[in-house]
Amino acid sequence: IDPFMSGKTTTSCKNKTDLHEYCGSIHGNNTQSCHMGFYVCLDDFPFQQTDNNKDSSNKDCVVYDFGIREQPDFGVVMSRPPFNCRVLAFDPSPVTKKWYASNTTLARMVKTSSNYELKPYGGGYADETLHLNQYDWDQVSIVRFPFRVLNPNTCTQGKCKYFFHNQQQFRLPVRSVPSIMAEHDHKHLTILKLDVEGSEYRMIESIIDSGACKQIDQLLLEWHHYDIDARYGEGSIPIHNVIHSMLKEKCGLEQFWIHDATGWPSNEKMYFDMHMTMRYNLASFKRVAPAPSLFNGQVSQKIKS
């Protein structure tokens, strides 16, 4: 495998967008208030000709939006003209629950939309209840911080004291993409968006193992908590290289956009103090060719099981 594979695009998109040009309408035509960042490819997008002032449903477009915090902009835009997609959003975070119960413009908008539905659970490999942990931006994450950490500012006579990090835990429900698809009788997804604070690895494992990835047209995600390969240096990310290879070979999905080849490290002092390297990146994949056995019945059976 090319050690720098994950930093390269292997297919192109003539009409890609981060949806900012569509987002202003949900913020009083103020695009500065938009919280976007993920690129979508519109080359073969299933648009539906409708009255732009009418909230109608495009049955050919289904979007799953995992991880919205109190910023549901992506899913809200996809649920409205000119897309009119059926959007299911997922987030069990306390901050999301508080936002949804509020009277903000976006909260009112999603609660009255016939195309948008918020589910109070997160994403995972399987349907289960997990201990998720306190994380940045009032979110929850699968990642666990070290409890006992050496404090270099307290070293005397060759020994250092510890400081202890208490990370609040939440027992919250998660579900797998194949299970959700089966429940809603969704034969394919137009877009699967994952911004799940480290759970993307287990979720991608699930859609590959089950075959559900073969029924997804675009995969948009934020990578979390990875490090570079010391053998090759910056831009070489072994776990991402393996996933890229599997998405291409098993799912027919290839990367058409990436924020940058290496991503960026967190600048939060708390991670420096805990001796943790936390890196992030954004990437988008699209279907390039039918995956092996794309619609052979075997995959559909896996989805329904």
Side-chain angles (χ1 to χ4, degrees):
I1 297 177
D2 176 0
F4 302 100
M5 174 192 295
S6 64
K8 301 174 181 177
T9 56
T10 54
T11 190
S12 62
C13 174
K14 296 180 180 178
N15 188 14
K16 61 178 177 286
T17 173
D18 65 358
L19 302 177
H20 256 85
E21 64 267 42
Y22 303 98
C23 180
S25 63
I26 68 174
H27 290 287
N29 294 320
N30 179 14
T31 58
Q32 298 298 318
S33 299
C34 293
H35 297 280
M36 309 303 280
F38 295 91
Y39 274 78
V40 175
C41 184
L42 301 182
D43 286 356
D44 301 305
F45 203 86
F47 286 101
Q48 182 183 57
Q49 295 298 322
T50 61
D51 181 350
N52 280 347
N53 295 316
K54 185 178 180 181
D55 184 16
S56 60
S57 180
N58 180 356
K59 296 180 180 179
D60 294 325
C61 182
V62 178
V63 174
Y64 286 5
D65 186 0
F66 283 88
I68 66 167
R69 204 166 27 136
E70 76 278 32
Q71 298 168 346
D73 303 38
F74 178 87
V76 173
V77 167
M78 296 305 303
S79 72
R80 292 161 54 87
F83 307 104
N84 296 303
C85 301
R86 170 63 173 157
V87 176
L88 296 186
F90 309 87
D91 201 316
S93 301
V95 67
T96 303
K97 182 178 180 180
K98 180 180 179 180
W99 162 78
Y100 190 72
S102 73
N103 196 38
T104 65
T105 300
L106 279 184
R108 294 196 307 270
M109 190 177 294
V110 300
K111 283 183 280 193
T112 57
S113 171
S114 60
N115 286 341
Y116 190 102
E117 184 177 358
L118 175 63
K119 301 290 188 178
Y121 48 83
Y125 183 87
D127 295 359
E128 56 186 334
T129 301
L130 294 179
H131 284 292
L132 298 175
N133 307 295
Q134 179 184 6
Y135 190 66
D136 297 341
W137 313 294
D138 296 322
Q139 280 281 61
V140 294
S141 171
I142 196 171
V143 72
R144 298 177 183 178
F145 298 155
F147 173 65
R148 181 183 284 108
V149 181
L150 287 174
N151 185 347
N153 297 319
T154 63
C155 300
T156 58
Q157 299 180 347
K159 291 186 178 181
C160 303
K161 294 182 179 180
Y162 295 106
F163 73 85
F164 299 90
H165 186 91
N166 293 310
Q167 188 179 18
Q168 185 179 0
Q169 285 194 332
F170 303 87
R171 189 166 172 81
L172 297 170
V174 299
R175 293 189 59 186
S176 72
V177 170
S179 172
I180 298 168
M181 291 178 69
E183 177 187 349
H184 293 277
D185 197 27
H186 289 152
K187 305 303 182 186
H188 92 284
L189 301 182
T190 309
I191 296 174
L192 171 62
K193 173 181 160 283
L194 305 179
D195 187 359
V196 287
E197 319 309 327
S199 290
E200 62 271 16
Y201 301 100
R202 293 286 283 157
M203 295 186 71
I204 291 173
E205 185 181 358
S206 174
I207 63 173
I208 291 175
D209 286 351
S210 67
C213 64
K214 301 173 184 179
Q215 289 151 298
I216 297 169
D217 293 338
Q218 295 187 46
L219 170 65
L220 321 180
L221 60 90
E222 181 170 4
W223 294 115
H224 297 78
H225 314 153
Y226 60 90
D227 204 354
I228 59 176
D229 190 333
R231 296 173 298 174
Y232 302 105
E234 188 165 86
S236 179
I237 306 163
I239 183 60
H240 293 180
N241 292 338
V242 172
I243 294 173
H244 274 243
S245 180
M246 295 182 72
L247 287 174
K248 180 178 180 179
E249 295 175 7
K250 295 182 177 292
C251 310
L253 297 169
E254 295 190 34
Q255 185 167 264
F256 69 87
W257 175 80
I258 186 169
H259 184 275
D260 63 69
T262 63
W264 61 92
S266 172
N267 61 358
E268 294 286 340
K269 184 178 182 299
M270 62 179 287
Y271 296 130
F272 178 81
D273 290 341
M274 290 188 291
H275 315 296
M276 296 180 70
T277 300
M278 306 287 269
R279 299 183 71 90
Y280 309 91
N281 209 346
L282 302 171
S284 298
F285 298 76
K286 73 169 187 172
R287 179 158 306 288
V288 173
S293 306
L294 181 56
F295 299 112
N296 66 358
Q298 182 179 2
V299 171
S300 297
Q301 183 63 37
K302 287 183 179 179
I303 295 288
K304 293 179 180 179
S305 63

